[in-house]
């Protein structure tokens, strides 16, 4: 299933900047960055549970925000990209034309 993960981590202090790096790294391990703090992650259910647990462990949920959008397995018709950045296929890292 394709999950869209976005985050907003408070970076007013060193601990927040460290959390931001750790959240970004965790997302990079599981998906493709499509915006600064937005990732498309093509996961099975157990991978999704593991990613969500990891992100919620890293974040300070009193200061930081995570948003998850489940686009499911039939996501191709739900995602439209317009603009300068090339679009990647979340299942293969290949460019979509």
């Amino acid at each position: 299933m394709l999950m869209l993960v976005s985050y907003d981590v408070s970076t007013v202090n060193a601990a927040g900047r460290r959390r931001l790096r750790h959240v970004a790294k965790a997302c990079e391990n599981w998906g493709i960055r499509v915006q600064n703090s937005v990732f498309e992650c093509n996961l099975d259910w157990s991978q999704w549970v593991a990613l969500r647990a990891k992100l919620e462990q890293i974040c300070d949920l009193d200061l930081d925000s995570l948003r998850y959008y489940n686009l499911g397995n039939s996501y191709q018709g739900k995602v439209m990209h317009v603009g300068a950045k090339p679009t990647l296929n979340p299942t293969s890292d290949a460019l979509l034309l």
Side-chain angles (χ1 to χ4, degrees), residues 13-79:
N13 58 32
R17 292 186 291 277
R18 186 171 41 256
R19 286 193 314 275
L20 177 63
R21 286 191 306 274
H22 289 180
V23 167
K25 184 65 175 170
C27 288
E28 287 170 349
N29 289 337
W30 293 92
I32 299 168
R33 185 188 298 264
V34 294
Q35 295 287 324
N36 283 341
S37 59
V38 180
F39 285 79
E40 291 178 353
C41 304
N42 194 14
L43 309 165
D44 64 31
W45 185 256
S46 62
Q47 291 170 323
W48 161 238
V49 170
L51 174 59
R52 183 176 171 188
K54 179 70 172 172
L55 294 176
E56 292 176 16
Q57 175 189 16
I58 295 168
C59 286
D60 179 339
L61 299 180
D62 291 329
L63 301 173
D64 307 330
S65 170
L66 295 163
R67 295 182 75 106
Y68 308 118
Y69 301 89
N70 184 346
L71 299 177
N73 291 320
S74 302
Y75 59 86
Q76 290 83 357
K78 298 177 185 174
V79 178

Side-chain angles (χ1 to χ4, degrees), residues 2 32 34 40 42 75-97:
L2 185 68
I32 299 168
V34 294
E40 291 178 353
N42 194 14
Y75 59 86
Q76 290 83 357
K78 298 177 185 174
V79 178
M80 182 187 321
H81 174 261
V82 178
K85 282 182 90 173
T87 301
L88 295 173
N89 180 342
T91 61
S92 72
D93 290 342
L95 290 176
L96 295 175
L97 302 176

